Amino acid sequence: MGEVLSIEAPGEIALVEEMLADVPEGGFRVATTHSGISAGTELTYVKGSNPYLVSSWDPALGLFVTGTPSMAYPVRGIGYMQVGMVVETRTRSVREGALVAMAYGHRTGYVADPMADRFVELPGDLDPVLGIYVAHMGPICANGLLHAAADLHGPAVRELGDGVRGRRVVVVGAGVVGLLTASFSLAHGAAEVVVVDETPARLRIAESLGAGVLEFDDDPAVELKRRWRHGPHDRGADVVFQCRGQTRALALALKALRPQGTVVDLAFYTRGADEVRLGEEFHHNGLTLRCAQIGRVPRGLAHVWDRERLSHETIALLRLRGPLLREHVVTDVVGFAEAPELLADLAARRRHSVQAVLCDHVEDKRG
């Protein structure tokens, strides 16, 4: 028997019991050690603003169809940043005692099928708390850099840093996605990385990671275009990673770009984008807006840059910059029993967190 986080209705969150299946031949069972909360996506279910609650996604048409929702309350098993310890295995794919990164939702245990469930075994030198980024969140951010590289080189991309190396980079938003994307850009040789946000505490974190920072309300587009000159009538960022799901953040991202520059958009706009003024900088400067969604890598690169490679790039980043990320980005570590209260407080803005992690203290059996 295990427990799973359940959103019973908007604002109503509970831990409920769930029966775990027996481990089948070829499968394995994990006990969750760490489970990272995505305060953006997951809180949309707590608030009732997620589009899947009012419409359904038609994968064949690639359209949201109104009328029949894809999901209904209670919503269970949200979350995509889990680390589990293998406590029973009936497969040679993974050994008992291994720590694996997966995406199976906020639950205390899970029975996995290696033919259906993706997992990444964590190396022994990696902080298991940071392992929450390996399966999904890290690849989301790495895919943003991959889109920037493809924008320059098309299918001839060789390294993840091909789109940022030696270039001036802006990251709009200092949440987890923005901070990891800034870290990837710094690790891959960007000439300068500036993070823009409206929360001073988050900007201090970005600064601690090695990025330059500007406050949202200090007219950062003007500041950056005065600072970054490429030639006559050519000023601004080479590439902007838009990592905040607010329309004014997208508008700022477009304003900060040099002519014919590209915004790589990793944000989730649950309320549309009415404030984006496409008749101004977007039109007059010939800009490009590319959506970097983890469901796809850039066209022509899927055979080389699959999810496994993006996870490998994430592990490399965590080995290089893990202590900084652990110290500054992971702001809350609480037990599973505290999860309902934590999510309710985050949704109501009674509590502010960058990266919250649910933790179940399981004896480390590695080795």
Side-chain angles (χ1 to χ4, degrees):
M1 187 70 71
E3 290 184 307
V4 59
L5 189 70
S6 176
I7 302 172
E8 303 288 291
E12 297 182 23
I13 312 150
L15 278 176
V16 299
E17 289 189 343
E18 69 171 356
M19 183 69 70
L20 290 179
D22 293 334
V23 178
E25 186 64 39
F28 63 93
R29 180 169 63 87
V30 296
T32 304
T33 62
H34 302 90
S35 189
I37 291 174
S38 171
T41 301
E42 293 171 31
L43 294 187
T44 62
Y45 292 104
V46 179
K47 298 174 182 178
S49 60
N50 192 286
Y52 284 103
L53 297 169
V54 295
S55 57
S56 60
W57 173 250
D58 186 323
L61 296 178
L63 294 172
F64 276 101
V65 181
T66 58
T68 304
S70 294
M71 302 184 72
Y73 294 105
V75 177
R76 295 179 178 174
I78 61 167
Y80 50 77
M81 290 185 273
Q82 282 68 53
V83 174
M85 178 179 289
V86 178
V87 293
E88 182 180 355
T89 181
R90 302 185 67 186
T91 173
R92 294 184 178 180
S93 300
V94 64
R95 60 185 175 80
E96 185 174 332
L99 285 180
V100 293
M102 299 183 68
Y104 53 73
H106 299 302
R107 41 178 38 98
T108 58
Y110 184 71
V111 174
D113 175 1
M115 297 301 292
D117 294 300
R118 180 172 177 266
F119 68 96
V120 181
E121 186 166 347
L122 298 179
D125 62 343
L126 199 69
D127 185 336
V129 174
L130 297 176
I132 63 172
Y133 295 135
V134 170
H136 198 72
M137 177 59 89
I140 286 173
C141 303
N143 195 30
L145 267 73
L146 188 60
H147 275 74
D151 187 67
L152 276 185
H153 301 287
V157 173
R158 293 293 179 266
E159 297 181 8
L160 189 65
D162 284 353
V164 298
R165 188 176 300 106
R167 305 181 83 199
R168 295 172 175 89
V169 174
V170 169
V171 177
V172 181
V176 172
V177 174
L179 294 170
L180 287 179
T181 300
S183 295
F184 269 118
S185 299
L186 290 163
H188 284 278
E192 192 172 352
V193 178
V194 173
V195 175
V196 181
D197 198 272
E198 59 192 5
T199 307
R202 294 193 173 203
L203 289 178
R204 286 194 293 272
I205 293 173
E207 202 166 27
S208 297
L209 296 176
V213 298
L214 286 171
E215 289 202 26
F216 201 104
D217 294 329
D218 287 344
D219 213 350
V222 172
E223 172 69 24
L224 290 169
K225 289 196 169 184
R226 285 175 174 164
R227 183 192 310 180
W228 290 340
R229 180 186 185 276
H230 306 278
H233 309 294
D234 184 1
R235 292 176 177 272
D238 291 300
V239 61
V240 178
F241 294 102
Q242 204 318 73
C243 303
R244 190 162 190 195
Q246 294 184 355
T247 51
R248 73 188 192 107
L250 176 55
L252 171 63
L254 293 168
K255 289 169 72 71
L257 274 175
R258 64 187 294 193
Q260 296 183 300
T262 295
V263 169
V264 178
D265 200 328
L266 294 91
F268 178 28
Y269 305 95
T270 59
R271 298 180 180 177
D274 294 342
E275 296 176 28
V276 180
R277 301 175 65 87
L278 297 181
E280 297 183 359
E281 288 79 15
F282 181 78
H283 178 77
H284 287 82
N285 285 332
L287 306 178
T288 298
L289 177 62
R290 295 189 62 147
C291 175
Q293 214 282 341
I294 190 57
R296 296 180 180 87
V297 298
R299 186 170 294 170
L301 293 176
H303 65 299
V304 178
W305 287 91
D306 58 14
R307 192 79 62 89
E308 306 310 313
R309 185 168 181 180
L310 296 178
S311 284
H312 173 77
E313 294 283 355
T314 300
I315 290 173
L317 174 72
L318 297 176
R319 280 176 162 155
L320 181 66
R321 300 177 64 84
L324 281 173
L325 294 168
R326 179 66 178 88
E327 180 180 357
H328 298 291
V329 177
V330 179
T331 52
D332 300 79
V333 179
V334 304
F336 262 89
E338 300 174 59
E341 181 181 2
L342 174 62
L343 261 69
D345 285 348
L346 291 174
R349 303 187 69 82
R350 292 188 295 267
R351 182 169 179 172
H352 299 277
S353 172
V354 179
Q355 178 66 74
V357 180
L358 307 179
C359 180
D360 187 23
H361 299 287
V362 177
E363 183 185 354
D364 193 344
K365 298 179 181 177
R366 285 180 295 170

